[in-house]
Amino acid sequence: MFIRKLSLFSAVVAALASLGVVAASGSAVATVSGDGGNRIGVLTNGGDAYVKEGGLSAGWIHELGDVRQVALSGNRIGVLTNGGDAYVKEGGLSAGWVHELAGVKQIALSGNRIGVLTHSGDALVKEGGLSAGWVLEENGVKELELSGNRIGIVKQSGEALVKEGGLSAGWVSELNNVVGIDLAGNRIGVLTGSGDAYVKEGGLSAGWVHELGGVKQLELSGNRIGVLTGGGDAYVKEGGLSAGWVHELGNTVQIALSGNRIGVLTGGGDAYVKEGGLSAGWIHELGSVKELALS
């Protein structure tokens, strides 16, 4: 979900776009992992968003076309259209959409919070109903993440900041030279410009644990950490921050976590999800997919 910087920026963005990890139109990167929900979302190569609910073999419901990002959290579904319009629905898979904002390049959901990042770099978050008012969190932002009562951002400068509590709480600086951030519960994960994944657990000022190098995507959910290496290998660990890695699959271009579910997207555009232990068997979900998201 993360992009490299400096002289490699353009080449890597183009490569990740071809893999469906970041939209070629310039959408910000975002987490695709959830918090133990039973929904799976996909975005097809044709820009159609589908979501299923329940077991891994449940049927798909078409949500919307002309989509470039899909986000899931609890009974909410968020989409970002190619035109930059953010929509969210709440309730069943066939509920009606509420238009949230235009001029958006990333959408994020967590509980009763909705966050958007505008093309001008403004991070906005609302709390409560779908029609609640927006609170400006920060400007000059290139990534926005939500989890519970925490908000994380990466500034254009590469500084990662996290706040905890109300929408107007103060920011705590976490690390510099950061190209991506992920939040889950009391864990914070960052990916540096050199491809190093770090995770901390506890308070915002807790110490970092180096997880792995050569990483291009980092995902967190519960007590699991997932990474995707530059070579296309997906690994997941469970338990403490220093637990051992389990190799999940090769030829992978995206990984997603949620509770006891692990999802991967292969280089051929096939989405697979497993449920249970780290060595459980894979279920093929759909082909011709360019993004996978779990609730």
Side-chain angles (χ1 to χ4, degrees), residues 106-283:
Q106 184 207 335
I107 185 171
L109 305 178
S110 181
N112 71 339
R113 287 182 171 182
I114 303 169
V116 293
L117 179 59
T118 70
H119 283 290
S120 60
D122 292 319
L124 305 165
V125 179
K126 63 168 59 181
E127 188 171 42
L130 300 187
S131 300
W134 293 105
V135 174
L136 175 63
E137 296 294 335
E138 187 64 272
N139 48 38
V141 176
K142 66 178 180 180
E143 187 190 351
L144 168 68
E145 297 296 332
L146 306 178
S147 179
N149 71 339
R150 287 182 171 182
I151 302 171
I153 59 171
V154 180
K155 298 274 287 181
Q156 295 289 348
S157 64
E159 182 183 16
L161 303 166
V162 179
K163 64 168 60 181
E164 186 173 43
L167 299 185
S168 300
W171 292 106
V172 174
S173 180
E174 296 293 339
L175 202 67
N176 289 303
N177 188 32
V178 172
V179 294
I181 187 169
D182 199 13
L183 307 176
N186 70 339
R187 287 182 171 182
I188 303 170
V190 293
L191 183 64
T192 71
S194 58
D196 289 296
Y198 293 89
V199 179
K200 64 167 58 180
E201 188 171 42
L204 300 187
S205 301
W208 291 105
V209 174
H210 182 262
E211 295 294 339
L212 201 67
V215 174
K216 68 177 183 181
Q217 185 193 355
L218 169 67
E219 296 291 328
L220 307 179
S221 181
N223 70 339
R224 287 183 171 180
I225 303 171
V227 293
L228 176 62
T229 70
D233 289 296
Y235 293 89
V236 179
K237 64 167 60 179
E238 185 173 43
L241 299 186
S242 300
W245 292 104
V246 174
H247 183 261
E248 295 293 338
L249 202 67
N251 186 32
T252 302
V253 297
Q254 186 199 347
I255 185 171
L257 307 177
S258 183
N260 71 340
R261 288 181 170 182
I262 303 170
V264 293
L265 180 61
T266 71
D270 290 296
Y272 293 88
V273 179
K274 64 168 61 179
E275 189 169 42
L278 300 186
S279 300
W282 293 105
I283 301 294

Side-chain angles (χ1 to χ4, degrees), residues 39-61:
R39 287 181 171 181
I40 303 171
V42 293
L43 180 59
T44 70
N45 290 331
D48 289 296
Y50 292 87
V51 179
K52 64 167 58 180
E53 185 172 42
L56 300 186
S57 300
W60 292 104
I61 301 294

